[in-house]
């Protein structure tokens, strides 16, 4: 009669032999020749052994050995392994970004020196994306998407719904932060009401709105320009005040299809120094611009956000077709920025605090020209 220890060892040997047989079958399954089976055995041995240890010999979930080992050390992670494997496989199988455009992680643009910019004492740069990583790409348009929504090129290229009707005012221009100012040339006296803010409309975004309204009007598009400074004297609740004004305008002029809220950006380098963003165009040096599109990602009602985004893409495409560096990548955000008020509502940032007023004015003129072309073409 054998000792109990001997029987245990005999059972362990039998189990090991059975395990080895199953492992060989699993590794070499699908091999048509002995050579292919040998290659599969050599290449898969470490990972298959690890998977056998984790109890998933038949689970071909493509997790790496390091990932599988980490998951196996934690019971909670091990219980969620199917979900982890599914997410992993989705990432592995995803097509390149330039084929689908479904990328949502934003990256920084690379600054390029722009020595041709006029000197107002602020360093100038032209910001351009150097690759598609981190952006949704649709034609010439780069979108930095901070929402949880996946974007596709097909839906972005659908026609936007707002059209010119030709009856009554069509476009409303306003400034939620109307005191946002620019940096004039040395020697020009500006009374600042805050950090790069002024009520002097010669040096703030209201002047840009004046030019946009003028160009659109000359193109035959009826425009209302609200020059109210909703951020002065109090910056807080500026969006509440501008929203109330927009709703009043829409009630009085239901013909309004497009609402353009004109702002400017504020950009600093790593040391906290202001710099301006410029685009060298045939007409001179213009401030670079950014279209900002809101969504319902914050939980607030906003049924028009995709329509607004399609309009923004159409405007960006046309502007970049004529002026390849005039527009910085578009921003899609969770906040709605009062853009739920109309099917053609957008926020436009014209330049930065470091830009000269003249650079911002030229940018506004060029954008308005392109906007008129897009809206009139859509309305034919």
């Amino acid at each position: 009669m054998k000792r109990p220890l001997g029987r245990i060892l005999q059972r362990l040997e039998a189990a090991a032999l059975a395990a080895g047989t199953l492992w060989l079958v699993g590794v070499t399954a699908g091999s048509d020749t002995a050579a292919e089976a040998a290659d599969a055995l050599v290449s898969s041995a470490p990972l298959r052994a690890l998977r056998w240890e984790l109890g998933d010999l038949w689970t071909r979930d493509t997790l790496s050995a390091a990932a599988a080992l980490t998951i196996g050390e934690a019971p909670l992670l091990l219980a969620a392994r199917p979900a982890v494997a599914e997410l992993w496989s989705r990432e592995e199988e995803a097509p390149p970004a330039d084929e689908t455009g479904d990328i949502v992680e934003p990256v920084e643009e690379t600054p390029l020196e722009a020595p041709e910019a006029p000197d107002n004492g602020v360093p100038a740069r032209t910001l351009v994306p150097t690759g598609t990583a981190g952006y949704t790409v649709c034609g010439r348009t780069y979108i930095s998407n901070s929402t949880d929504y996946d974007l596709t090129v097909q839906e972005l290229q659908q026609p936007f719904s707002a059209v010119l009707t030709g009856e009554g005012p069509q476009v409303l221009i306003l400034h939620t932060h109307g005191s946002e100012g620019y940096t004039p040339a040395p020697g020009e006296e500006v009374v600042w009401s805050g950090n790069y803010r002024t009520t002097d409309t010669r040096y703030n975004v209201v002047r840009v709105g004046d030019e946009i309204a003028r160009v659109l009007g000359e193109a035959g598009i009826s425009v209302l320009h609200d020059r109210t400074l909703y951020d002065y004297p109090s910056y807080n609740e500026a969006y509440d005040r501008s929203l109330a004004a927009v709703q009043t305008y829409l009630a009085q002029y239901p013909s309004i299809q497009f609402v353009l809220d004109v702002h400017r950006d504020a950009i600093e380098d790593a040391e906290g120094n202001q710099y301006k963003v410029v685009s060298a165009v045939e007409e001179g040096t213009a401030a670079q611009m950014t279209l900002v599109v809101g969504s319902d990602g914050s939980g607030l009602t906003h049924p028009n956000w995709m329509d607004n985004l399609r309009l923004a893409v159409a405007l960006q495409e046309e502007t970049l077709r004529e002026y390849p560096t005039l527009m910085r990548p578009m921003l899609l955000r969770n906040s709605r920025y009062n853009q739920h008020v109309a099917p053609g509502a957008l926020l436009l940032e014209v330049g930065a605090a470091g830009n000269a007023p003249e650079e911002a004015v030229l940018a506004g003129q060029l954008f308005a020209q392109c906007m008129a072309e897009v809206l009139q073409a859509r309305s034919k």
Side-chain angles (χ1 to χ4, degrees), residues 309-328:
L309 181 57
R310 289 168 179 156
L311 168 63
V313 169
L315 293 173
Q316 184 104 341
E317 284 290 292
E318 177 62 21
T319 306
L320 289 176
R321 185 185 68 81
E322 298 192 29
Y323 307 100
T325 63
L326 188 57
M327 303 299 296
R328 296 174 61 203

Side-chain angles (χ1 to χ4, degrees), residues 127-168:
L127 300 185
V128 295
T130 58
T132 60
Y135 294 104
T136 296
V137 181
C138 178
R140 300 177 182 86
T141 299
Y142 285 63
I143 304 173
S144 173
N145 180 3
S146 296
T147 73
D148 291 332
Y149 290 105
D150 292 329
L151 304 175
T152 65
V153 172
Q154 182 178 7
E155 65 182 345
L156 292 174
Q157 292 178 334
Q158 296 297 312
F160 54 89
S161 63
V163 294
L164 298 173
T165 64
E167 300 176 359

Side-chain angles (χ1 to χ4, degrees), residues 71-323:
I71 291 173
E73 291 298 318
L76 289 177
L77 288 176
L78 186 58
R81 176 165 182 168
V84 174
E86 180 181 359
L87 291 174
W88 194 297
S89 64
R90 288 180 185 175
E91 178 178 299
E92 291 294 324
E93 297 171 1
D98 56 0
E99 293 182 13
T100 66
D102 295 335
I103 294 185
V104 296
E105 293 299 324
V107 297
E108 293 184 358
E109 300 139 295
T110 299
L112 305 176
E113 294 301 324
E116 71 279 1
D119 184 15
N120 66 338
V122 181
R125 298 179 180 179
T126 300
L127 300 185
V128 295
T130 58
T132 60
Y135 294 104
T136 296
V137 181
C138 178
R140 300 177 182 86
T141 299
Y142 285 63
I143 304 173
S144 173
N145 180 3
S146 296
T147 73
D148 291 332
Y149 290 105
D150 292 329
L151 304 175
T152 65
V153 172
Q154 182 178 7
E155 65 182 345
L156 292 174
Q157 292 178 334
Q158 296 297 312
F160 54 89
S161 63
V163 294
L164 298 173
T165 64
E167 300 176 359
Q170 304 290 292
V171 179
L172 171 64
I173 301 172
L174 78 156
H175 310 274
T176 297
H177 297 154
S179 69
E180 291 179 331
Y182 299 100
T183 303
E188 294 190 41
E189 295 185 2
V190 182
V191 178
W192 299 105
S193 60
N195 189 23
Y196 293 99
R197 297 179 184 278
T198 179
T199 60
D200 191 335
T201 57
R202 294 175 300 169
Y203 304 110
N204 64 26
V205 294
V206 175
R207 181 180 174 189
V208 179
D210 287 338
E211 288 302 305
I212 296 176
R214 180 185 64 80
V215 174
L216 290 177
E218 291 178 354
I221 299 174
S222 180
V223 179
L224 291 176
H225 182 202
D226 182 355
R227 305 177 83 250
T228 306
L229 304 181
Y230 292 104
D231 62 339
Y232 182 83
S234 173
Y235 185 82
N236 295 331
E237 286 82 46
Y239 273 100
D240 293 336
R241 291 189 286 272
S242 66
L243 174 59
V246 171
Q247 291 171 332
T248 299
Y249 279 113
L250 293 177
Q252 185 175 358
Y253 304 101
S255 58
I256 293 174
Q257 300 294 307
F258 303 92
V259 177
L260 188 62
D261 193 356
V262 180
H263 296 241
R264 64 108 174 100
D265 205 347
I267 308 176
E268 299 178 344
D269 60 20
E271 287 72 42
N273 301 312
Q274 292 281 336
Y275 66 87
K276 58 182 176 180
V277 288
V278 299
S279 173
V281 296
E282 184 178 350
E283 294 82 354
T285 301
Q288 285 187 297
M289 295 175 284
T290 305
L291 282 166
V292 183
V293 181
S295 72
D296 60 2
S298 66
L300 297 177
T301 302
H302 187 2
N304 302 316
W305 75 266
M306 180 54 72
D307 264 331
N308 291 344
L309 181 57
R310 289 168 179 156
L311 168 63
V313 169
L315 293 173
Q316 184 104 341
E317 284 290 292
E318 177 62 21
T319 306
L320 289 176
R321 185 185 68 81
E322 298 192 29
Y323 307 100

